[in-house]
Amino acid sequence: MKVLIFTNSSAKYDAAVNSYHGAGWVESFITLLEEQRRIELAVSFFHEKDGKKKTRDNLTFYPIFKASRRSNPIKTILGDWKGSIENEKACKDMLTVIEDFKPDVIQVFGSENMYALIQKYTKVPVVVHLQGLLNPYYNAFYPVNESKYNFIFDLNYVKQNILGKGINSLTKRIKNKAIREVEHFKNLKFVMGRTHWDKMVSKIHNPEITYFHVDEVLRSIFYDNIVKIKNRKQSGKIEIVTTISPTLYKGLDVILKTANLLLETTSLNFAWSIIGLEHTDPLVLHFEKSLKLKHQNLNIKFLGVREANDFVDSIQQADLFIHPSYIDNSPNSVCEAQILGIPVIACNVGGLASLIDNEITGTLLPSNGVYEMVNAILKFNKEPEHFWNMAHEAQIIAAKRHEKKTIITQVLNVYETIVQNATINTNK
């Protein structure tokens, strides 16, 4: 069977240029699929430097050359101010790839990306692998007490705003992609997802859509570090860790408010490490200013982006993993913390309830639940054994959920079902 994947990630092609903590989950998925000799696999993506087909072992790359918009700075800035998104004309290049490879099935990563447009121009069956769903994300984009006006006049964002790289320009781009996503769903026949939430959203957009459950492949280093972690004795200090990107809806404000409330109302000894952000990031400076809080006074330390081994070590050395996001489908960070055996506290948004069974495999809290989060941390301090028991249970379930053999079986079944469906419809 010939499978063609369209994705924004070119990490398998030039990992040194496109990497995050060593690799992403899309790369892990492609690696898993590449190992299946019954599959002839090709991956296509837009690339600013290359446009030549290349084959390595069982994988063919089709980089589609896309000239950098930086070659015309004025046009780039104007486009970014407007939140411009990719032009549908790029589908012509995608069709050239399809004609050359002649796939039996096409898999597209992301319902919001322009790759999903290809379903309008080809008779080859297309399945979209759901990532984030932009309409719900756009709905929850600005945190409580925040709006576009907070960022227009924020001095920390002056340069970004001038260049069209600020929060408000990003919001326009997300809005435009969300509008396009709705149109994609109207025409989609097949999607792969992994949570009750993404299935619900898909069915709302298109009740006739066929939904396939396919669990997520994690990065290899997490499978290599699945060890049963014993309940730790209280050391006098609770070590909390959070993985967060410089994205508005990821809950950085919730972290600052929670740490502040802990210090104001309790004598708890804690330290909160944040992976993925530097203390100099404009988002950090913005929330510190708007909330009138300084991370240095809140026992918070920003660790920045960590290498894979350091990343795993930081998680394993923690007592609690907290995920404060306002919206998410199935965040990698929660899955990674679970499989490493660390107790997890998370806001019950999006698809989190598919990952965490409340008070059985972790603790779920309301969105922006600052008081509830403080209470959960204090409860951990009083009843650590309960949280470690939940972590052990979550680790067992996560290991099953992310088991590679199960996932590849799920994927191959999806391909076969779609191809058979296409054959039946062709013969009618």
Side-chain angles (χ1 to χ4, degrees):
M1 183 184 297
K2 300 181 75 172
V3 178
L4 172 60
I5 291 176
F6 285 108
T7 175
N8 280 334
S9 173
S10 62
K12 286 286 289 183
Y13 183 73
D14 49 9
V17 177
N18 297 276
S19 61
Y20 183 71
H21 291 151
W25 74 273
V26 174
E27 180 183 353
S28 299
F29 178 89
I30 292 171
T31 299
L32 180 62
L33 200 57
E34 184 184 4
E35 296 169 352
Q36 308 305 309
R37 293 302 166 182
R38 58 191 286 194
I39 296 292
E40 187 177 344
L41 182 64
V43 179
S44 185
F45 42 85
F46 291 110
H47 202 282
E48 291 187 356
K49 297 180 180 180
D50 199 357
K52 295 181 180 180
K53 171 185 174 182
K54 295 181 182 178
T55 300
R56 299 176 190 166
D57 299 324
N58 193 39
L59 181 56
T60 301
F61 295 99
Y62 285 95
I64 299 173
F65 178 68
K66 179 183 178 184
S68 173
R69 294 164 65 231
R70 291 188 292 270
S71 59
N72 189 331
I74 301 300
K75 187 176 181 180
T76 297
I77 292 173
L78 289 175
D80 286 339
W81 280 348
K82 296 177 182 178
S84 298
I85 56 179
E86 305 89 348
N87 194 302
E88 192 168 342
K89 292 179 180 178
C91 285
K92 293 181 180 179
D93 295 318
M94 297 167 64
L95 282 172
T96 300
V97 173
I98 294 170
E99 290 168 4
D100 184 77
F101 187 67
K102 296 178 175 58
D104 298 299
V105 63
I106 297 170
Q107 180 171 347
V108 170
F109 276 96
S111 55
E112 76 284 6
N113 294 325
M114 69 153 297
Y115 297 118
L117 286 167
I118 199 62
Q119 64 186 328
K120 293 170 57 178
Y121 300 100
T122 180
K123 293 183 179 179
V124 179
V126 175
V127 57
V128 167
H129 200 137
L130 302 175
Q131 295 180 298
L133 293 158
L134 282 199
N135 280 275
Y137 277 48
Y138 177 69
N139 180 62
F141 190 80
Y142 285 102
V144 62
N145 298 324
E146 296 282 347
S147 74
K148 64 181 182 180
Y149 300 105
N150 297 96
F151 295 91
I152 292 174
F153 303 109
D154 190 328
L155 295 179
N156 295 305
Y157 280 93
V158 170
K159 182 178 179 181
Q160 289 92 329
N161 289 338
I162 291 173
L163 296 176
K165 305 295 183 184
I167 295 293
N168 296 329
S169 296
L170 174 61
T171 308
K172 292 178 183 177
R173 192 152 49 250
I174 289 177
K175 180 181 180 180
N176 290 335
K177 284 190 172 185
I179 293 170
R180 184 174 64 186
E181 181 183 63
V182 172
E183 294 304 311
H184 288 171
F185 268 111
K186 288 179 181 178
N187 300 309
L188 275 175
K189 294 182 179 179
F190 308 106
V191 295
M192 293 183 187
R194 53 200 173 276
T195 66
H196 296 302
W197 180 75
D198 65 22
K199 182 176 182 179
M200 174 198 72
V201 174
S202 299
K203 291 290 186 177
I204 287 174
H205 283 306
N206 182 354
E208 302 302 318
I209 209 164
T210 300
Y211 179 95
F212 297 99
H213 182 96
V214 175
D215 286 308
E216 190 169 349
V217 187
L218 302 181
R219 291 173 278 166
S220 295
I221 192 168
F222 291 96
Y223 295 98
D224 297 338
N225 284 274
I226 299 177
V227 293
K228 186 175 181 180
I229 298 178
K230 297 179 180 179
N231 297 10
R232 296 196 183 100
K233 294 180 179 179
Q234 293 297 93
S235 63
K237 176 186 287 188
I238 296 177
E239 297 286 348
I240 304 170
V241 67
T242 293
T243 302
I244 197 170
S245 61
T247 308
L248 195 56
Y249 54 77
K250 287 294 185 179
L252 176 60
D253 56 317
V254 176
I255 294 173
L256 293 171
K257 290 185 288 186
T258 300
N260 182 60
L261 188 59
L262 275 170
L263 290 172
E264 284 185 339
T265 60
T266 77
S267 59
L268 189 71
N269 187 9
F270 71 95
W272 201 324
S273 297
I274 301 178
I275 300 172
L277 272 180
E278 300 285 353
H279 72 277
T280 54
D281 190 281
L283 194 64
V284 176
L285 300 177
H286 169 81
F287 278 123
E288 287 187 330
K289 181 181 178 181
S290 67
L291 296 173
K292 296 180 173 57
L293 298 171
K294 291 291 185 180
H295 73 274
Q296 301 95 325
N297 302 328
L298 301 175
N299 298 346
I300 292 174
K301 184 177 182 180
F302 290 92
L303 303 182
V305 176
R306 308 299 296 269
E307 293 297 326
N309 288 328
D310 291 338
F311 179 81
V312 170
D313 288 343
S314 296
I315 301 297
Q316 289 182 324
Q317 291 169 12
D319 298 303
L320 277 177
F321 183 93
I322 293 183
H323 188 76
S325 185
Y326 284 92
I327 190 69
D328 256 316
N329 186 9
S330 60
N332 294 345
S333 58
V334 169
C335 298
E336 291 163 352
Q338 287 180 320
I339 207 164
L340 292 178
I342 303 301
V344 175
I345 296 172
C347 291
N348 188 7
V349 297
L352 267 296
S354 290
L355 303 179
I356 298 172
D357 191 354
N358 190 36
E359 293 305 310
I360 295 176
T361 59
T363 300
L364 290 173
L365 310 173
S367 175
N368 192 35
V370 174
Y371 285 83
E372 293 87 346
M373 195 168 288
V374 167
N375 181 67
I377 295 169
L378 293 175
K379 185 176 179 181
F380 171 84
N381 187 51
K382 293 180 180 179
E383 306 171 28
E385 186 175 346
H386 170 60
F387 282 79
W388 285 106
N389 288 339
M390 290 194 294
H392 294 327
E393 185 66 24
Q395 185 179 44
I396 293 169
I397 293 173
K400 293 179 180 177
R401 182 174 66 228
H402 301 290
E403 210 280 321
K404 291 182 180 181
K405 289 183 179 179
T406 301
I407 293 172
I408 195 59
T409 298
Q410 293 172 341
V411 173
L412 294 178
N413 286 340
V414 171
Y415 293 158
E416 290 171 0
T417 300
I418 291 173
V419 171
Q420 288 173 6
N421 179 275
T423 302
I424 292 171
N425 290 334
T426 300
N427 294 331
K428 284 183 178 180

